[in-house]
Amino acid sequence: MGRIGYLLTLPLLGGVRLVRTLAGAIDEESRHQLLNEDAIRGELLELQEWLEAGVIDEEDYERLEATLLERLDAARALRAQRSLIRPVLD
């Protein structure tokens, strides 16, 4: 049925398909932003600037830095895992 089935169900399922596609795109972009090493390093630099400017105290700095370093480790681990999986799939 392929294309005909798709066209026949479009009025009923079109909205659902659109929402699913948008949700997938948002999820992918949020994962990219969350695990982007350059963005995390930028956040670490900004955090250092906040500390030096007195915006945050040492305790907040250490807590936020630990969170960012965990994200950086997770991003690196995911990248390493993907590099191991990718050659198997190619």
Side-chain angles (χ1 to χ4, degrees):
M1 214 155 82
R3 292 181 188 172
I4 293 173
Y6 178 80
L7 291 174
L8 292 174
T9 60
L10 189 60
L12 298 173
L13 299 176
V16 173
R17 289 179 183 138
L18 177 62
V19 168
R20 187 172 40 184
T21 301
L22 288 175
I26 291 169
D27 181 55
E28 183 177 329
E29 181 61 25
S30 64
R31 286 177 192 257
H32 174 73
Q33 290 297 321
L34 185 64
L35 298 174
N36 183 334
E37 290 184 44
D38 291 333
I40 297 169
R41 282 192 287 274
E43 289 179 49
L44 284 166
L45 289 173
E46 184 177 14
L47 191 62
Q48 179 69 35
E49 291 172 1
W50 287 357
L51 178 65
E52 292 171 359
V55 176
I56 59 174
D57 61 14
E58 188 72 31
E59 183 180 322
D60 288 336
Y61 173 80
E62 289 175 2
R63 182 178 46 81
L64 294 169
E65 181 189 39
T67 301
L68 289 171
L69 291 174
E70 286 175 11
R71 277 182 48 203
L72 187 59
D73 287 342
R76 288 176 176 164
L78 183 61
R79 185 176 49 147
Q81 181 183 12
R82 286 182 179 171
S83 68
L84 291 175
I85 293 172
R86 200 169 296 259
V88 173
L89 297 176
D90 289 342

